[in-house]
Amino acid sequence: MKKVKKAIIPAAGLGTRFLPATKAMPKEMLPIVNKPTIQYIVEEAVESGIEDIIIVTGKGKRAIEDHFDHAFELEINLVEKGKLKLLEEVRRPSSVDIHYIRQKEPKGLGHAVWCARRFIGDEPFAVLLGDDIVTGDTPCLKQLINQYEMLQCSVIGVQPVSDQETNRYGIIDPIGKDGRLYQVNNFVEKPAPGMAPSNLAIMGRYVLTPEIFNYLSLQEQGAGGEIQLTDAIQKLNQYQNVYAYHFDGIRYDVGEKLGYILTTLDFAIRNGELRIPLLKALEEILSRESMQKVIG
């Protein structure tokens, strides 16, 4: 039985929702408190047992490579100043074996995954999207890998969303359930409002068999005129069972502005150093807002 040891992290998107901040900085490098979003994703992969990671980048993403490389001058400076704890934090991203490949054209998530096909070869692999950060006792990806090892089939991470949000996600059409595990009839990419077969949404974590590349290689356009990973998963499901797993954990949406702000606040509140001053500052802001409404 081949283990899941490789992971793909697509990071070639233009980040238009965060313009102008992402004009010169990759959206994956936007920080949550003091750590870029992509580092949370990489750390989840490593904690799940992944040994090799390939990040699919695009034009203007060099900052990602620099972040996961050694910064010798900075490290020497921290050693000289005795800031050893901070040195450990700085070195942590560069301790992972990471490879890079460019998606030369923005053709969609399915195409980005297909670009890494030679890196994956004939092994099962994981895909982690950077718009979702998940926290929990057991890493989200590890939960999916555990299911894969029992089933020897592709497993997709899902969680419920409100009926009003189903048109934003890939949605599963379940036909059977065993605890948190679902057998799936169809995978539907961004169904029209009111047309979703369920409220169980695909949340950016996948464990896939290499046969998925047979369908991604067709380069068929789906929703938004892009090559959709969900469409290839649906085709794979017709020949080889693809399961969905309702993973345990708190999922944070950092792919849009409000979700990003709320994630930053939540992580900051859980930071022992920032919690008290932040709560005090938020109380002052709310008080000031209330006063302005009364005056207005």
Side-chain angles (χ1 to χ4, degrees):
M1 181 182 73
K2 291 185 177 179
K3 298 284 188 179
V4 181
K5 295 298 182 182
K6 293 181 179 179
I8 301 171
I9 301 178
L14 298 175
T16 53
R17 292 176 182 171
F18 290 93
L19 285 171
T22 50
K23 179 182 177 182
M25 179 174 66
K27 72 169 185 176
E28 295 83 7
M29 291 301 295
L30 292 173
I32 305 296
V33 187
N34 64 337
K35 189 188 300 183
T37 56
I38 194 169
Q39 187 172 333
Y40 289 96
I41 310 304
V42 168
E43 289 176 356
E44 179 188 331
V46 173
E47 290 168 4
S48 301
I50 297 298
E51 296 176 357
D52 288 288
I53 296 171
I54 187 165
I55 299 179
V56 183
T57 65
K59 187 177 180 181
K61 302 282 187 169
R62 184 58 186 271
I64 296 174
E65 296 184 37
D66 289 341
H67 178 70
F68 289 105
D69 199 357
H70 286 286
F72 294 106
E73 291 183 3
L74 174 60
E75 292 176 16
I76 290 171
N77 181 271
L78 294 174
V79 170
E80 290 175 347
K81 293 182 178 180
K83 297 182 178 180
L84 301 184
K85 186 175 181 180
L86 185 55
L87 175 66
E88 183 182 347
E89 289 294 316
V90 168
R91 283 179 171 170
R92 183 177 300 170
S94 58
S95 64
V96 184
D97 193 6
I98 297 180
H99 313 263
Y100 301 91
I101 190 171
R102 276 203 171 190
Q103 183 186 24
K104 296 178 181 178
E105 299 177 70
K107 292 184 176 181
L109 174 59
H111 182 261
V113 173
W114 180 80
C115 287
R117 65 197 181 282
R118 291 188 178 90
F119 172 81
I120 297 300
D122 62 351
E123 301 178 39
F125 65 99
V127 178
L128 301 95
L129 305 190
D131 285 349
D132 299 290
I133 293 175
V134 183
T135 63
D137 294 335
T138 302
C140 175
L141 180 59
K142 179 60 177 173
Q143 296 177 50
L144 301 187
I145 290 174
N146 290 342
Q147 295 300 312
Y148 169 80
E149 290 178 348
M150 289 188 292
L151 300 164
Q152 292 295 289
C153 293
S154 299
V155 184
I156 313 301
V158 297
Q159 277 197 338
V161 297
S162 69
D163 292 338
Q164 291 72 33
E165 293 181 295
T166 52
N167 64 317
R168 296 177 50 206
Y169 299 92
I171 300 294
I172 70 165
D173 177 16
I175 54 176
K177 181 182 178 183
D178 181 8
R180 288 178 170 267
L181 187 70
Y182 291 86
Q183 190 173 356
V184 182
N185 181 37
N186 289 303
F187 294 83
V188 184
E189 179 63 22
K190 296 179 180 178
M195 300 298 291
S198 75
N199 70 336
L200 291 168
I202 300 171
M203 290 300 184
R205 298 294 186 273
Y206 312 76
V207 173
L208 299 169
T209 58
E211 286 78 14
I212 191 72
F213 292 116
N214 296 336
Y215 306 101
L216 290 175
S217 65
L218 300 175
Q219 304 282 293
E220 294 179 350
Q221 294 185 353
E226 296 183 334
I227 299 169
Q228 298 290 349
L229 180 59
T230 303
D231 293 344
I233 290 171
Q234 170 59 17
K235 286 184 170 63
L236 177 63
N237 190 44
Q238 295 171 7
Y239 297 94
Q240 183 183 97
N241 285 337
V242 179
Y243 291 86
Y245 185 74
H246 179 181
F247 61 85
D248 182 43
I250 302 173
R251 173 253 179 182
Y252 297 88
D253 181 0
V254 295
E256 49 88 23
K257 289 189 283 289
L258 179 59
Y260 172 77
I261 292 168
L262 293 175
T263 301
T264 302
L265 284 173
D266 198 338
F267 276 56
I269 287 172
R270 290 192 286 144
N271 181 296
E273 181 181 344
L274 297 175
R275 177 180 174 81
I276 299 302
L278 175 59
L279 289 174
K280 183 178 180 181
L282 288 173
E283 186 177 346
E284 292 173 355
I285 291 171
L286 292 172
S287 177
R288 186 166 63 245
E289 286 292 309
S290 298
M291 288 297 295
Q292 288 178 348
K293 286 183 180 179
V294 171
I295 295 172

